[in-house]
Amino acid sequence: GRGGVVVTHVQLLTEQAASSQSLHKPLELYIFIDPLCTSAVDMQAIVRKLQVQYEQYFTCRFILSTKLASLNCLEEKTKGCMSGQDVDVKHPVLPSVAVKAAELQGKRAGLRFLTKLQECLMLKQKNLQSYNTLLEIAEQSQLDMQEFRNDFGSKEAAHAFQCDLHITNEMDVSELPTIVFFNECIEDEGLKVSGLYTYEVYEHILSEMLNAPLIPNQPPPVEELLGRFHSLSTQEIAAMYNLTEAAAEREMKKRMLQQKVERTQANDVTLWRLKHA
């Protein structure tokens, strides 16, 4: 069974019930990532495309696993940040704790923060293990900063991250990223897929788990996707619409000329966002 996952599962179900989606989704995906690993970005691209095409079939939940589970020295360090000492702490586990601190402001806030973190990871412009950088990211994610600072050093955030590590252990996840697919039957074991595969592999597994052919949704206009995901790379846009990268680039440049989108480029990655007046 799902063992230690039940508590969080219940919490998740009530969150879903609270959201206006009364739509019943038969599968649940637990997506294990190390937020500082570039494979997390590749996994995010796959999950986004799955969401756009097959959202009616599943919900998903990101579980953070940092390879370095040295949490004992962490509490001392975050206490240092909180006590107003002006030091910039750096530690591999801080980004995961930061995501959990953001999640304390709600699931959406947590996702905004994780998305922003992964944008920075793609652009490789900042040290994401740095406390100060994570504060900047929180600000860009429009979080309540006072609350975020308090939560960052709180037992709740550290505990939430430890829960993720516990689930990782419980489910025997040793490679990141990994997705565990669950169906509605709590007694059934989840299907664990370790490592990163092509989009088609995950599509095939969804279909197998549902025991039915999948009916894909057509992707909405790209502006709508950018509203939803905040930013998309040229590669992701090409994948969403089954275009070549060159064609995707042309489409986005047209929109740039129309002042609809703007782009950021760094390290041969191009990210597109909606242009806000």
Side-chain angles (χ1 to χ4, degrees):
R2 258 170 256 195
V5 187
V6 174
V7 180
T8 39
H9 201 69
V10 172
Q11 174 197 341
L12 207 82
L13 289 176
T14 48
E15 273 176 28
Q16 279 162 16
S19 87
S20 59
Q21 285 172 318
S22 52
L23 202 61
H24 177 67
K25 300 183 181 186
L27 300 180
E28 185 171 19
L29 275 52
Y30 278 44
I31 301 154
F32 295 83
I33 56 167
D34 177 344
L36 285 194
C37 183
T38 46
S39 67
V41 172
D42 301 331
M43 180 55 92
Q44 175 171 272
I46 287 170
V47 171
R48 284 173 167 180
K49 186 172 178 183
L50 285 172
Q51 284 176 316
V52 168
Q53 283 207 294
Y54 301 117
E55 198 161 33
Q56 64 274 39
Y57 299 116
F58 70 91
T59 56
C60 58
R61 168 170 181 197
F62 285 96
I63 312 279
L64 306 178
S65 310
T66 302
K67 296 214 172 61
L68 252 168
S70 46
L71 284 169
N72 37 7
C73 58
L74 172 72
E75 249 180 58
E76 291 312 304
K77 293 199 166 196
T78 47
K79 277 195 196 108
C81 308
M82 299 318 118
S83 58
Q85 295 170 9
D86 206 18
V87 285
D88 184 18
V89 181
K90 296 180 179 62
H91 192 279
V93 98
L94 287 181
S96 294
V97 176
V99 174
K100 291 299 165 191
E103 276 176 8
L104 291 172
Q105 296 188 30
K107 206 174 161 186
R108 285 221 170 110
L111 210 51
R112 281 204 309 276
F113 185 89
L114 182 60
T115 302
K116 206 76 191 123
L117 186 73
Q118 294 196 308
E119 264 178 39
C120 295
L121 183 65
M122 285 167 91
L123 298 169
K124 298 188 180 71
Q125 290 159 328
K126 294 178 169 154
N127 179 355
L128 299 178
Q129 296 185 11
S130 136
Y131 176 68
N132 289 346
T133 301
L134 294 165
L135 287 181
E136 276 171 42
I137 292 174
E139 202 144 343
Q140 291 163 359
S141 310
Q142 292 154 338
L143 298 182
D144 176 322
M145 291 307 291
Q146 192 48 53
E147 211 176 306
F148 181 76
R149 280 197 175 86
N150 294 343
D151 288 339
F152 204 134
S154 71
K155 282 201 163 44
E156 284 80 12
H159 178 68
F161 176 51
Q162 279 168 323
C163 282
D164 275 15
L165 292 180
H166 176 70
I167 294 171
T168 307
N169 272 340
E170 192 81 358
M171 295 197 184
D172 227 2
V173 171
S174 53
E175 191 183 345
L176 299 172
T178 282
I179 300 188
V180 183
F181 292 79
F182 289 110
N183 64 20
E184 296 161 286
C185 183
I186 297 275
E187 287 68 60
D188 283 5
E189 284 292 304
L191 174 68
K192 184 165 64 181
V193 184
S194 305
L196 200 59
Y197 294 90
T198 61
Y199 178 76
E200 290 69 30
V201 170
Y202 297 106
E203 204 174 25
H204 179 69
I205 294 166
L206 274 184
S207 166
E208 292 278 296
M209 294 283 293
L210 284 164
N211 215 348
L214 300 172
I215 300 161
N217 303 315
Q218 285 311 306
V222 71
E223 290 79 2
E224 210 174 296
L225 286 187
L226 289 173
R228 175 174 177 178
F229 295 126
H230 191 267
S231 72
L232 289 167
S233 65
T234 308
Q235 249 174 330
E236 282 184 283
I237 293 166
M240 291 278 189
Y241 296 97
N242 294 324
L243 298 168
T244 62
E245 278 188 51
E249 176 97 17
R250 275 198 305 276
E251 284 301 318
M252 296 312 287
K253 277 184 176 158
K254 278 186 216 162
R255 285 171 172 77
M256 197 161 82
L257 289 171
Q258 298 163 345
Q259 302 280 310
K260 287 182 182 172
V261 301
E262 55 190 16
R263 73 170 170 196
T264 313
Q265 267 171 309
N267 301 307
D268 53 278
V269 171
T270 304
L271 288 181
W272 304 89
R273 298 190 180 83
L274 288 177
K275 193 178 172 88
H276 292 293

